[in-house]
Amino acid sequence: DQQVKQNSPSLSVQEGRISILNCDYTNSMFDYFLWYKKYPAEGPTFLISISSIKDKNEDGRFTVFLNKSAKHLSLHIVPSQPGDSAVYFCAASDRNSAGKSTFGDGTTLTVKP
Amino acid sequence: NAGVTQTPKFRVLKTGQSMTLLCAQDMNHEYMYWYRQDPGMGLRLIHYSVGEGTTAKGEVPDGYNVSRLKKQNFLLGLESAAPSQTSVYFCASRQGHSPLHFGNGTRLTVT
């Protein structure tokens, strides 16, 4: 049973518009959520995170929203830029599990100029 | 500051051969992890370590062994490679509950 799901394998948006990437989870023990960005032939890099005690965290063009009752989080990128084209992974962890993170399958974002 | 370094970057093995993937981090992180990524899938945890001399199984440990003899190094071994182990392997480290720092991966093909 996949505990972290990203149901959209791909997303294409126009430069300057908003990109919204979604993630659902099933394990109610998860209390820390992260988004990682991955370019081809590179390792994932940390983008933004949110603790379960918050419902929103913002960092520049990137905002993550958490809806605990729905077990859903989303990443908003505004405005989207061509350099944002990458694979985005949602990850979740339980602070009592040695920091192990469970990853979704990723969403490939393409931002068209 | 190199961060997390993985060697080798690429490797082709024949079925039944063995090899060791090396991960080194220079950030003095306690926790280290080995993940594999298959096409269209997320990262799946193979083994992890919460400190020097300790290791534990992750989600997909079968066919792999690990060792953490020094805090900065985490080795992943394949004793008898199988085609199902064709994948991209990522090492990561973290301190406490900080985000993971990843290496750039090792692309392994088993024929």
Side-chain angles (χ1 to χ4, degrees), chain A residues 56-88:
Chain A
K56 177 183 175 180
N57 188 28
E58 190 172 355
D59 184 2
R61 297 185 297 113
F62 303 92
T63 303
V64 56
F65 295 92
L66 176 62
N67 182 333
K68 288 186 290 295
S69 61
K71 293 189 175 68
H72 177 83
L73 63 155
S74 60
L75 173 68
H76 293 211
I77 306 173
V78 181
S80 301
Q81 300 173 353
D84 295 330
S85 297
V87 179
Y88 290 79

Side-chain angles (χ1 to χ4, degrees), chain B:
Chain B
N1 189 348
V4 178
T5 303
Q6 292 184 234
T7 53
K9 290 183 171 53
F10 304 94
R11 186 73 186 268
V12 178
L13 286 179
K14 294 187 188 306
T15 298
Q17 288 184 319
S18 63
M19 78 164 293
T20 299
L21 284 67
L22 172 64
C23 176
Q25 53 96 2
D26 61 2
M27 298 170 284
N28 202 35
H29 286 172
E30 289 292 335
Y31 297 169
M32 296 188 74
Y33 308 82
W34 276 106
Y35 286 91
R36 62 178 285 174
Q37 186 194 9
D38 300 307
M41 298 181 69
L43 289 84
R44 293 184 292 168
L45 182 64
I46 305 171
H47 285 281
Y48 65 100
S49 168
V50 300
E52 181 179 318
T54 73
T55 63
K57 293 179 180 180
E59 180 187 358
V60 288
D62 294 341
Y64 305 95
N65 56 74
V66 288
S67 64
R68 184 107 181 261
L69 298 180
K70 293 183 178 181
K71 186 177 185 179
Q72 64 267 36
N73 295 337
F74 196 28
L75 277 62
L76 177 70
L78 287 73
E79 291 186 348
S80 179
S84 61
Q85 294 177 304
T86 293
S87 189
V88 181
Y89 292 84
F90 288 101
C91 176
S93 70
R94 73 174 357 141
Q95 187 66 26
H97 295 289
S98 67
L100 292 165
H101 293 257
F102 284 90
N104 282 331
T106 295
R107 185 174 294 275
L108 175 66
T109 301
V110 182
T111 61

